[in-house]
Amino acid sequence: MIGVSLRASLLFLLLCGIMYPLVSTGAAQLLFPAQANGSLLKDSAGNVVGSSLIGQPFTDQRYFQGRVSSIDYKAEASGSNNYAPSNPELLARMKASIAQWQQDNPEVPLAQLPVALISNSGSGLDPDITPQSAIVQIARISKLTGLPKAELEELVHAHTKGRELGLFGDKRVNVLELNLALSTRIAK
């Protein structure tokens, strides 16, 4: 009986622990190589600058800013605080975000500030913002880069993705992809 159990365990170890992962990884590399390797994005010099699936902070005000992350964009800490709207820590963070927004974007009325720019997503890693969240940042970026507002609007529209399969989700703009294109324009 022990011999049968050991042989069955070894067989399942080989099948489930070695063969299945090798076949799955091989199929993923063959069919979806970019996604299997992390959906990495590169700059114009060919250096990896991030993943299109994970948000990251942009401290330079010349670039589009993404959503707030309560976990500082650390992928290993995915998730966010599940604070109630009345939680004092959440209220303090949101007030600080609003104050920072007003300081960085004085020409944009507070009423036009999309809530998505001062609130974090459920994972805290969302790489996308709404097109409106990008558009309200154009005045600041135009002022700091010298690029015309119309050119920046075209850039946002060019990087706006529609709903998945035309049905699911909302229109969105990947902040890293948009900023890579903006970086190319700034360098010209």
Side-chain angles (χ1 to χ4, degrees):
M1 196 69 156
I2 292 177
V4 172
S5 297
L6 288 175
R7 285 192 299 274
S9 295
L10 182 61
L11 174 68
F12 285 114
L13 175 67
L14 290 172
L15 285 175
C16 299
I18 297 174
M19 294 302 294
Y20 177 75
L22 285 175
V23 170
S24 298
T25 301
Q29 288 291 337
L30 182 67
L31 299 173
F32 309 104
Q35 292 89 337
N37 291 314
S39 300
L40 301 177
L41 296 176
K42 298 178 181 182
D43 63 12
S44 57
N47 300 316
V48 174
V49 294
S51 170
S52 64
L53 302 175
I54 298 176
Q56 60 187 17
F58 291 93
T59 55
D60 188 338
Q61 290 299 309
R62 297 179 305 159
Y63 291 96
F64 290 92
Q65 306 298 309
R67 294 186 74 170
V68 174
S69 176
S70 59
I71 58 169
D72 297 323
Y73 299 99
K74 294 177 183 172
E76 69 274 8
S78 178
S80 64
N81 301 325
N82 193 16
Y83 291 146
S86 61
N87 184 286
E89 287 181 43
L90 176 64
L91 293 173
R93 184 180 58 80
M94 292 191 79
K95 285 179 183 178
S97 294
I98 292 169
Q100 186 67 48
W101 169 263
Q102 290 177 310
Q103 179 182 335
D104 296 339
N105 302 278
E107 59 281 330
V108 180
L110 190 55
Q112 291 181 10
L113 170 61
V115 174
L117 287 178
I118 58 168
S119 63
N120 58 302
S121 65
S123 69
L125 300 171
D126 196 348
D128 301 320
I129 57 176
T130 63
Q132 184 59 30
S133 295
I135 289 169
V136 297
Q137 299 181 59
I138 287 176
R140 179 193 76 239
I141 295 167
S142 177
K143 181 176 154 186
L144 295 173
T145 63
L147 294 171
K149 290 180 183 179
E151 184 176 340
L152 293 169
E153 287 176 12
E154 288 174 20
L155 200 59
V156 168
H157 292 299
H159 286 85
T160 299
K161 299 174 185 171
R163 297 169 176 247
E164 292 293 326
L165 303 174
L167 299 170
F168 305 109
D170 294 318
K171 289 184 177 182
R172 66 205 181 285
V173 179
N174 185 285
V175 179
L176 179 56
E177 291 173 0
L178 179 60
N179 282 337
L180 285 172
L182 176 58
S183 181
T184 302
R185 300 273 177 99
I186 290 172
K188 287 182 181 179

